[in-house]
Amino acid sequence: MTEHSLWRFSRALHRALNERQYADVEALIDDDIDWAIYGPIDMFPFFGARRGKAAVLDVIKRIADNVRIHRFERESVLLGADSAASMIRYSLTALDSNKPISLRLAHFAKFRDDRLVSIRVLIDTFDLVEQALGRSIHLPRLAS
Amino acid sequence: MTEHSLWRFSRALHRALNERQYADVEALIDDDIDWAIYGPIDMFPFFGARRGKAAVLDVIKRIADNVRIHRFERESVLLGADSAASMIRYSLTALDSNKPISLRLAHFAKFRDDRLVSIRVLIDTFDLVEQALGRSIHLPRLAS
């Protein structure tokens, strides 16, 4: 059984983010990729939707300019024939402030011919914003 | 092929939330269920971790007291033998304020003998908090 595309893509992406070596990940991205990370783009301009390999490589480079991955733990994973979903807990450093950031995300990815054609990433963004601000945001208790 | 446990659980949960009919969902929850919805529990006390059927039924009832589901669209889904992950976009009403809430979540669920034994739910919580507050939270642009 050959290795699932998720594992190859994951290694290449982490290499891109931490070592700024982009050749592996570039080879694993479909020309017409459909990419989205949901979250506040005002604060994190590398969130949001991107279409096509050039735009996605650019955003991966911007993420690499902003964070370094220290550890990650894949808490859940489901693999389909050409698809994969996982929930991952990352320990990062924000490079500008040198602050640690702990982040949980879920992704749903689709592959074709071993290349990533679609990915949607969801993040517990309120927790992320508070960590990036370095303070709590006061919230009223809304629900009963 | 029998129906996947996800579909039966999903129908029962939506019936519980919208019609306050809890018998179906109660029958599909394992006694020792491990449940977590990640998000700010100060604002939404029904977020957080719960263990065991009684605690989970209680939290489902609290969610039912707070929201009504109008529509949902399952944007991605992956099914394993006894597991399932999906990304879902919900259109809700907050019952106290009568305000519409649009919410995207991802869940990873595990089943045993057709019963839910574990679920982890991740939400784009910053977007949710802004909608619940009814205003934007000003954010600095942190990243380059």
Side-chain angles (χ1 to χ4, degrees):
Chain A
M1 197 175 162
T2 57
E3 184 184 47
H4 195 284
S5 304
L6 176 67
W7 309 126
R8 195 172 304 137
F9 184 81
S10 176
R11 281 198 306 275
L13 181 63
H14 289 157
R15 184 151 194 242
L17 294 178
N18 271 11
E19 301 169 32
R20 305 191 187 201
Q21 298 293 325
Y22 301 105
D24 291 357
V25 80
E26 182 171 3
L28 298 175
I29 294 174
D30 191 86
D31 288 345
D32 197 32
I33 184 172
D34 182 12
W35 165 290
I37 304 176
Y38 300 109
I41 58 174
D42 293 345
M43 189 172 201
F44 305 104
F46 45 81
F47 284 0
R50 298 290 188 282
R51 189 73 191 242
K53 183 188 281 206
V56 166
L57 274 174
D58 179 68
V59 88
I60 289 172
K61 289 175 185 174
R62 293 176 75 175
I63 296 171
D65 288 342
N66 281 281
V67 299
R68 181 173 305 271
I69 300 168
H70 286 291
R71 281 196 317 276
F72 71 99
E73 182 191 354
R74 209 175 292 267
E75 299 176 321
S76 302
V77 60
L78 265 119
L79 301 178
D82 281 312
S83 55
S86 54
M87 188 173 285
I88 312 175
R89 191 162 174 81
Y90 279 102
S91 297
L92 311 171
T93 297
L95 294 179
D96 59 343
S97 63
N98 215 29
K99 276 193 289 199
I101 303 271
S102 171
L103 179 81
R104 186 174 274 116
L105 67 78
H107 76 78
F108 288 76
K110 292 181 186 166
F111 300 91
R112 187 171 54 221
D113 301 331
D114 263 350
R115 294 183 174 198
L116 185 70
V117 291
S118 163
I119 190 164
R120 296 276 175 276
V121 179
L122 201 67
I123 299 171
D124 181 1
T125 42
F126 186 78
D127 183 51
L128 172 63
V129 164
E130 286 196 324
Q131 290 180 68
L133 289 174
R135 60 178 176 80
S136 299
I137 296 170
H138 174 72
L139 294 179
R141 183 182 168 107
L142 284 193
S144 58
Chain B
M1 196 176 164
T2 56
E3 185 185 45
H4 194 283
S5 304
L6 176 67
W7 308 127
R8 195 172 305 137
F9 184 80
S10 177
R11 281 198 306 273
L13 181 63
H14 288 157
R15 184 151 194 243
L17 294 179
N18 271 10
E19 300 169 32
R20 305 190 187 202
Q21 299 294 324
Y22 301 105
D24 291 356
V25 81
E26 183 171 2
L28 298 175
I29 295 173
D30 191 86
D31 288 346
D32 197 32
I33 183 171
D34 183 11
W35 165 291
I37 304 176
Y38 301 109
I41 59 174
D42 293 344
M43 190 174 201
F44 304 105
F46 45 81
F47 285 0
R50 299 290 189 283
R51 190 73 190 240
K53 184 188 280 206
V56 166
L57 274 174
D58 179 67
V59 88
I60 289 172
K61 289 175 185 175
R62 292 176 75 174
I63 295 171
D65 288 341
N66 280 281
V67 299
R68 179 174 306 271
I69 300 169
H70 285 291
R71 281 196 315 277
F72 70 100
E73 182 190 355
R74 209 175 291 267
E75 299 176 321
S76 302
V77 60
L78 266 119
L79 301 178
D82 282 312
S83 55
S86 55
M87 188 173 285
I88 312 176
R89 191 161 175 82
Y90 280 103
S91 297
L92 310 171
T93 298
L95 293 179
D96 59 344
S97 63
N98 214 29
K99 276 194 289 198
I101 303 270
S102 170
L103 179 81
R104 186 174 275 114
L105 67 78
H107 76 80
F108 288 76
K110 292 181 186 166
F111 300 91
R112 187 171 55 220
D113 301 331
D114 262 352
R115 293 182 176 200
L116 186 70
V117 290
S118 163
I119 189 164
R120 295 276 174 278
V121 179
L122 201 67
I123 299 172
D124 180 2
T125 41
F126 186 78
D127 183 51
L128 172 63
V129 165
E130 287 197 323
Q131 290 180 65
L133 289 174
R135 60 178 177 81
S136 298
I137 296 170
H138 175 72
L139 293 179
R141 184 183 168 106
L142 284 194
S144 59

